[in-house]
């Protein structure tokens, strides 16, 4: 089988392990060619650092998309995450139509915030545009904060029980038009994982693992990258989500053992071999 290709549309942050510095190695380890389209170039990510640089790449992205279109390229997945400007959401919507191969998928990780708080560089307009972009996706991967933003509800109104997480995943599917993998779901204080709604089967499910102490930046990016790689390899949604849940948990456990500071991002590199072995 030819090596599948994925466009990864995320920022490139020099230090702090997230976005493209996660997506490229994870997809490569899974035997998937990652074709990066940076949305912004930052010295570090915006969580836990001050004074970071931020170079918006909107104009360059449009030029790169035009060039790729002239080459007639098609990709097994178009996978987006952290955006640098409001205009980028419309550009990504267009790119899904232009570049998704027949039978391919659009995975939109609607990166906007965490713990009920919006990321520093996001605006109201960007969050509204992210909601529109999600309508073009085959699969979305919000956390509970992003789910609240997408539904325009207070974070405090988000569910806290397994039935509620599954109902929320179904609700986010827009009447079954897209599959949803809602991260940060749990069934009790000792576990953590994701609630899925699969538009192919119409079923919801919880995929869980033991909760490990500590919390690390970039785990959402690791999760969505493993999920995308697994879907491109042909896994069903629940199996892909379980692989993502298990890999993130293994990385978090290692990071905790190593005493990695939260803002340096989850220590995933030594564990990439787990993905290669599938
Ligand atoms: O992991 C999400 C993310 C991605 N990229 C940048 C970020 C964040 C979260 O803070 O700042 C630049």
């Amino acid at each position: 089988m030819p090596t599948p290709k994925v466009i990864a549309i995320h920022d490139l942050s020099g230090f702090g392990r997230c976005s493209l510095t996660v997506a490229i190695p994870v997809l490569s380890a899974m035997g998937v060619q990652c074709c990066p389209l940076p949305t912004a170039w930052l010295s570090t990510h915006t969580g836990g650092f001050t004074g970071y640089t931020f170079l918006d790449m909107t104009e360059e992205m449009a030029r790169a998309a035009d060039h790729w279109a002239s080459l007639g390229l098609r990709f097994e997945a178009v996978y987006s995450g952290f955006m640098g400007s409001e205009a980028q959401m419309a550009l990504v919507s267009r790119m899904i139509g232009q570049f998704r191969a027949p039978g391919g998928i659009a995975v939109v990780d609607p990166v906007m915030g965490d713990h009920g708080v919006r990321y520093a560089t996001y605006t109201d307009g960007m969050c509204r545009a992210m909601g529109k972009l999600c309508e073009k996706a085959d699969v979305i991967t919000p956390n509970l904060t992003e789910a609240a933003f997408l539904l325009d509800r207070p974070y405090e109104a988000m569910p806290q029980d397994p039935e509620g997480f599954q109902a929320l995943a179904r609700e986010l599917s827009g009447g079954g038009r897209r599959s949803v993998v809602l991260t940060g779901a749990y069934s009790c204080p000792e576990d953590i994982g994701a609630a899925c709604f699969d538009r192919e089967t119409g079923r919801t499910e919880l995929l869980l693992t033991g909760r490990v102490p500590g919390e690390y930046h970039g785990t959402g990016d690791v999760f969505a990258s493993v999920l995308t790689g697994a879907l491109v390899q042909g896994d069903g949604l629940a199996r892909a989500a379980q692989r993502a849940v298990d890999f993130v948990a293994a990385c978090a456990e290692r990071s905790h053992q190593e005493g990695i500071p939260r803002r340096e991002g989850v220590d995933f590199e030594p564990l990439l071999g787990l993905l290669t072995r599938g």
Side-chain angles (χ1 to χ4, degrees):
M1 168 173 121
T3 303
K5 295 190 291 301
V6 171
I7 307 184
I9 311 172
H10 303 250
D11 66 283
L12 181 61
S13 285
F15 185 75
R17 286 189 281 217
C18 65
S19 309
L20 284 177
T21 59
V22 167
I24 297 170
V26 163
L27 289 167
S28 298
M30 297 178 84
V32 174
Q33 182 186 350
C34 181
C35 304
L37 191 65
T39 57
W41 150 236
L42 295 83
S43 51
T44 67
H45 61 69
T46 66
F49 295 99
T50 53
Y52 47 81
T53 66
F54 183 103
L55 180 64
D56 176 9
M57 301 290 257
T58 308
E59 284 181 24
E60 203 65 12
M61 283 171 73
R63 284 157 41 84
D66 287 347
H67 182 222
W68 287 358
S70 77
L71 298 174
L73 297 177
R74 292 286 181 280
F75 299 81
E76 280 64 38
V78 177
Y79 162 40
S80 71
F82 180 99
M83 295 288 136
S85 73
E86 191 176 331
Q88 288 180 6
M89 267 58 96
L91 183 61
V92 174
S93 286
R94 206 161 62 239
M95 290 181 68
I96 290 171
Q98 271 180 311
F99 295 116
R100 180 177 46 192
I105 50 168
V107 179
V108 172
D109 184 5
V111 174
M112 291 185 278
D114 207 356
H115 300 292
V117 180
R118 208 156 73 185
Y119 293 137
T121 56
Y122 272 69
T123 62
D124 286 345
M126 287 174 74
C127 292
R128 274 194 302 275
M130 189 66 93
K132 279 202 184 153
L133 174 57
C134 284
E135 289 174 15
K136 289 284 178 68
D138 299 299
V139 183
I140 62 170
T141 59
N143 60 27
L144 284 165
T145 301
E146 291 149 357
F149 294 164
L150 289 173
L151 295 170
D152 201 15
R153 283 187 207 148
Y155 177 61
E156 294 68 33
M158 291 296 102
Q160 300 187 14
D161 59 84
E163 293 72 31
F165 294 132
Q166 289 178 85
L168 183 60
R170 184 181 290 278
E171 187 177 359
L172 287 160
S173 74
R177 286 198 303 277
R178 53 187 170 263
S179 292
V180 177
V181 183
L182 174 71
T183 60
Y186 50 87
S187 76
C188 67
E190 288 77 39
D191 64 30
I192 184 79
C196 296
F197 168 81
D198 186 343
R199 73 171 179 194
E200 307 297 330
T201 62
R203 287 183 49 195
T204 60
E205 248 176 288
L206 269 187
L207 295 316
L208 300 170
T209 188
R211 193 185 281 260
V212 295
E215 217 196 302
Y216 300 92
H217 200 91
T219 48
D221 301 327
V222 175
F223 184 95
S225 298
V226 175
L227 182 90
T228 301
L231 291 173
V232 165
Q233 287 175 341
D235 284 350
L237 190 73
R239 162 126 178 94
Q242 186 71 60
R243 285 176 73 184
V245 164
D246 291 344
F247 186 69
V248 169
C251 296
E253 185 162 16
R254 185 193 152 83
S255 305
H256 180 67
Q257 280 162 5
E258 297 289 321
I260 306 290
R262 172 181 152 75
R263 70 180 192 174
E264 291 190 15
V266 70
D267 193 31
F268 69 95
E269 293 91 345
L271 299 182
L272 284 170
L274 296 173
L275 298 173
T276 301
R277 286 187 290 274

